Every structure is written in structure tokens, then in C-alpha cells.
Amino acid sequence: MFYKIMKIFVTLYYRVTHKITVIGEENVPKEGPVLLAANHKSLHDPPVVGISVKREMSFFAKSELFENKIFGAAIRNLNAIPVNRGKGDRAALKTSIEALKEGRMLLMFPEGTRNKTGKNELAPLQEGASFIAMSAKAPIVPVAIRGSYKGKDGVTIIFGQPIYTKQLREEGYKRKDITKILENNLNNLLNGPLHLDKTDNL
């Protein structure tokens, strides 16, 4: 309930303050485990991706944010998973895999950090997202965040076709192969033509 209430307020906020266009939300499976893998431009990315899909979403948040008991409790109720950045956080990996196995949707930024160039470009991807998705037998939906939160043209959120890791693994694909497929798909979404025939404006 808390998630749904907060989503209403966050959606209203972004409708007033930003221009956000959503393309391809129908590509997100309506049920079952899903890992959303997005490029990372801004601190606005998690809430904007969250309000661009109908389903509830889990996401990683740096462990320092949970030190304040009130704020920590709030973001836990928003499905945040604490992670120690810069370390091999086994607990976060285990929690995220379990979340997917429970049929939840998880947002990750496989670049590992924000790309602050302001351009529609992608840093080399880490393999964590592929590892988690393969471990949970979950499809990966690439999510491209194009444009700028400050520009008059606004930001476009593009959901690509799912990458079905279970089938690829059965065909012999390794983690690095799926990471490369994801990287190619994200680059295509970031730099390809915009299909504006199926869009929603927040």
C-alpha cells in the first residue's frame, strides 16, 4: 500500500516538473521474475523508471541510506535492497536473486555508476545483472534512458524486448555472452530511431 501511495505522489511530481515519454512498456512481462537493466544518467532514474511501469519494482540503494532509521524504513517499504558499493556484497546478491525467484521485478544499473557526460552513451557493463538474472532464470528487459532531465525535450524511457536468459543458458551462452547481448541492445535503444507511435507521456 505504501508503495502505491508514494507512486501516486511521485508520478504527480514528475508530471509537473519534467517532460517524460515512455516507449515500449508493453515489453515488460506482466508477471513473473523480471530484471530491468538500465543505463544510469541521474539520481532521477530509479523513481522515473518506477513510475513508467505498472508493476511494483525493487531496486538497490547504497547501505548508507539505511543508517537513518526513519528514512531507511521508508525506502525498505519502497522495496529497496541495501548494497555496499565497491565491495562484493553477497547478501545483496542473495536477496536480489531471492526477490526474482519470488516473481518480483528488480531494477539494476549494470554500468555500476552514473554516466555524467549528459550524452546517450553507455559505459562498459559489469556482469552482475547477467549473473543475477541467470541465477534466478529471469528475463532481462533492457531500459534506455535518453535525453536530459534538464532539457526542454525531456527524457524518454524505452523498454526493449526481453532477453530470455534461461533459454540462452540452455543453448550454452555464458554470463559474458549475455552481458554483451544486453550491451548491444542498450546501445541500439540509446542511439537508434525513436518509435513514437506507441508512447505514453507522464
Side-chain angles (χ1 to χ4, degrees):
M1 180 62 70
F2 181 75
Y3 186 100
K4 292 180 179 179
I5 293 172
M6 289 303 299
K7 185 174 182 178
I8 292 171
F9 284 108
V10 173
T11 301
L12 289 173
Y13 168 78
Y14 279 102
R15 278 182 174 173
V16 172
T17 59
H18 295 79
K19 180 182 178 183
I20 299 171
T21 303
V22 180
I23 299 175
E25 198 268 339
E26 69 277 3
N27 290 326
V28 180
K30 294 180 174 57
E31 58 184 21
V34 181
L35 192 150
L36 303 179
N39 61 303
H40 200 6
K41 301 169 71 72
S42 165
L43 293 173
H44 291 289
D45 296 338
V48 168
V49 173
I51 65 175
S52 299
V53 287
K54 297 180 177 66
R55 293 181 58 176
E56 282 198 20
M57 181 184 79
S58 298
F59 59 97
F60 287 119
K62 60 183 180 180
S63 57
E64 293 87 346
L65 294 175
F66 294 83
E67 292 175 359
N68 182 294
K69 290 185 178 180
I70 296 176
F71 185 73
I75 60 176
R76 281 187 190 279
N77 281 310
L78 291 172
N79 304 329
I81 298 171
V83 61
N84 293 310
R85 295 195 301 177
K87 301 179 181 179
D89 195 330
R90 292 181 179 272
L93 286 175
K94 182 180 179 181
T95 301
S96 59
I97 292 169
E98 289 174 350
L100 288 172
K101 286 183 175 180
E102 291 170 1
R104 292 160 63 184
M105 185 168 70
L106 174 67
L107 172 66
M108 289 189 66
F109 300 104
E111 291 170 289
T113 187
R114 279 180 289 152
N115 187 331
K116 300 179 182 179
T117 63
K119 300 178 181 179
N120 292 325
E121 59 184 26
L122 192 68
L125 301 188
Q126 299 178 10
E127 295 184 0
S130 298
F131 170 76
I132 290 171
M134 292 175 72
S135 298
K137 299 179 181 179
I140 302 174
V141 173
V143 184
I145 303 171
R146 292 176 57 158
S148 170
Y149 292 98
K150 297 179 180 179
K152 65 179 181 178
D153 293 330
V155 168
T156 301
I157 310 297
I158 310 170
F159 296 93
Q161 294 288 336
I163 300 167
Y164 291 99
T165 62
K166 180 181 178 182
Q167 290 89 324
L168 290 174
R169 187 174 185 176
E170 291 172 352
E171 293 172 11
Y173 285 77
K174 305 299 183 183
R175 185 167 61 195
K176 65 179 181 180
D177 303 319
I178 293 177
T179 301
K180 189 62 179 178
I181 292 171
L182 173 60
E183 189 172 284
N184 289 339
N185 286 8
L186 279 172
N187 272 317
N188 289 337
L189 293 174
L190 283 168
N191 299 291
L194 290 175
H195 299 288
L196 297 175
D197 54 327
K198 292 185 178 181
T199 66
D200 293 304
N201 290 309
L202 293 179

